């Protein structure tokens, strides 16, 4: 069985602070994908990043960065110099290949509510 | 939002009523999904369709049925709505290992 845990239910920061959202996953598959999605107050789900299990390179996109460590089964997300517009619910998710039969099904974490105060 | 359209956006039902949530994608994707989102539980998979004409149960299929009549459309039906089905429902389609979501349907069962 697969599992994604986002231990931080809510985080509150002041604008310009850096913030890290934690994600820990469990899977028995050797081939899998990890994702982060953003859900702003308007409610839609916005895709942020996909990382496959064979690529442990960290990634940076503007103020966003992701740290993938297979040794600790973690895929953490850092926002540098946070802004009010970053306020949202952030979801970490896992999709495994499962011998080619998983058809991309996602297992989501519970989500972390991030509030950035001006 | 990435070519996945859900209708309606909001709906209120009475217990026991039936309803079909519609989802359509114009990106020629093979796989489509239905999730429900409840507070503190993330999104959970209800049903999915790997390709046109096939459907399979996800994590929480009880109380729901689905239809994939063609490649574009994947509908979710509640035959006899229950208050426990009050939730936000998301449809998604798969593009190169990444799911792209519709804007969601907020459903309340009274």
């Amino acid at each position: 069985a697969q599992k994604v845990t986002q231990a931080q239910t809510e985080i509150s920061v002041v604008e310009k602070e850096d913030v890290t959202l934690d994600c820990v996953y469990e899977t028995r598959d050797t081939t899998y994908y990890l994702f982060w999605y953003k859900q702003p107050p308007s409610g839609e789900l916005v895709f942020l990043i996909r990382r496959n299990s064979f690529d442990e390179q960290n990634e940076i996109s503007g103020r966003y960065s992701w740290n993938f460590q297979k040794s600790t089964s973690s895929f953490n997300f850092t926002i540098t110099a946070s802004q009010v517009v970053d306020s949202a619910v952030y979801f970490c998710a896992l999709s495994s290949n499962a011998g080619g039969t998983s058809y991309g099904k996602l297992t989501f974490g519970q989500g972390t509510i991030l509030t950035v105060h001006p | 939002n990435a070519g996945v359209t859900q209708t309606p956006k909001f709906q209120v039902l009475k217990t026991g009523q039936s309803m079909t949530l519609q989802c359509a994608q114009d990106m020629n994707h093979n796989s489509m999904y239905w999730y429900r989102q409840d507070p503190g539980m993330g999104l959970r998979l209800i049903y999915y369709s790997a390709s046109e004409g096939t459907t399979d149960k996800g994590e929480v299929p009880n109380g729901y049925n689905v239809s994939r009549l063609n490649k574009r459309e994947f509908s979710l039906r509640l035959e006899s709505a229950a208050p426990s089905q009050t939730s936000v429902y998301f449809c998604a389609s798969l593009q190169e290992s990444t799911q792209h979501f519709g804007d969601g349907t907020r459903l309340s069962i009274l």
Side-chain angles (χ1 to χ4, degrees):
Chain A
Q2 299 181 132
K3 187 177 180 181
V4 176
T5 301
Q6 296 178 251
Q8 304 150 309
T9 304
E10 292 191 52
I11 300 175
S12 181
V13 299
V14 177
E15 213 170 14
K16 298 184 183 178
E17 283 186 32
D18 298 346
V19 57
T20 296
L21 283 62
D22 298 332
C23 173
V24 174
Y25 63 92
E26 297 176 26
T27 180
R28 293 182 179 179
D29 297 308
T30 57
T31 303
Y32 52 88
Y33 291 99
L34 294 163
F35 302 81
W36 278 95
Y37 285 87
K38 174 182 179 180
Q39 187 175 44
S42 50
E44 73 273 23
L45 285 160
V46 179
F47 166 73
L48 295 178
I49 189 171
R50 180 188 79 209
R51 190 46 109 214
N52 75 54
S53 53
F54 298 107
D55 182 3
E56 286 192 74
Q57 263 193 320
N58 292 332
E59 179 148 344
I60 298 175
S61 176
R63 296 183 296 108
Y64 295 172
S65 61
W66 291 269
N67 179 251
F68 174 30
Q69 292 194 342
K70 288 179 77 170
S71 60
T72 56
S73 297
S74 64
F75 186 44
N76 297 336
F77 174 29
T78 297
I79 302 174
T80 303
S82 60
Q83 299 176 1
V84 172
V85 293
D86 296 327
S87 297
V89 183
Y90 291 88
F91 291 99
C92 181
L94 167 70
S95 171
S96 74
N97 190 41
T101 62
S102 70
Y103 302 109
K105 294 179 290 182
L106 287 172
T107 298
F108 281 84
Q110 303 92 318
T112 297
I113 302 170
L114 174 65
T115 303
V116 182
H117 299 280
Chain B
N1 184 15
V4 179
T5 303
Q6 289 183 237
T7 55
K9 294 191 183 306
F10 303 95
Q11 185 70 49
V12 178
L13 295 176
K14 294 181 180 179
T15 298
Q17 287 185 316
S18 62
M19 164 136 199
T20 299
L21 307 186
Q22 306 287 351
C23 175
Q25 51 94 8
D26 58 6
M27 298 171 286
N28 204 36
H29 294 162
N30 285 322
S31 299
M32 298 183 72
Y33 311 80
W34 276 105
Y35 294 86
R36 61 177 288 172
Q37 181 182 10
D38 301 296
M41 303 186 73
L43 279 78
R44 293 179 293 168
L45 183 65
I46 305 171
Y47 270 93
Y48 68 100
S49 170
S51 61
E52 181 181 350
T54 69
T55 61
D56 281 289
K57 295 178 181 179
E59 181 185 353
V60 288
N62 291 345
Y64 305 96
N65 287 302
V66 289
S67 293
R68 183 84 182 272
L69 295 178
N70 54 60
K71 198 169 188 178
R72 284 190 68 247
E73 298 170 297
F74 187 37
S75 61
L76 178 71
R77 183 162 178 84
L78 288 70
E79 290 290 353
S80 179
S84 61
Q85 294 176 305
T86 293
S87 189
V88 181
Y89 292 85
F90 286 96
C91 177
S93 66
L94 185 69
Q95 177 185 24
E96 296 180 1
S97 302
T98 300
Q99 288 189 28
H100 295 275
F101 289 82
D103 288 343
T105 295
R106 188 173 296 274
L107 185 60
S108 295
I109 316 295
L110 305 178

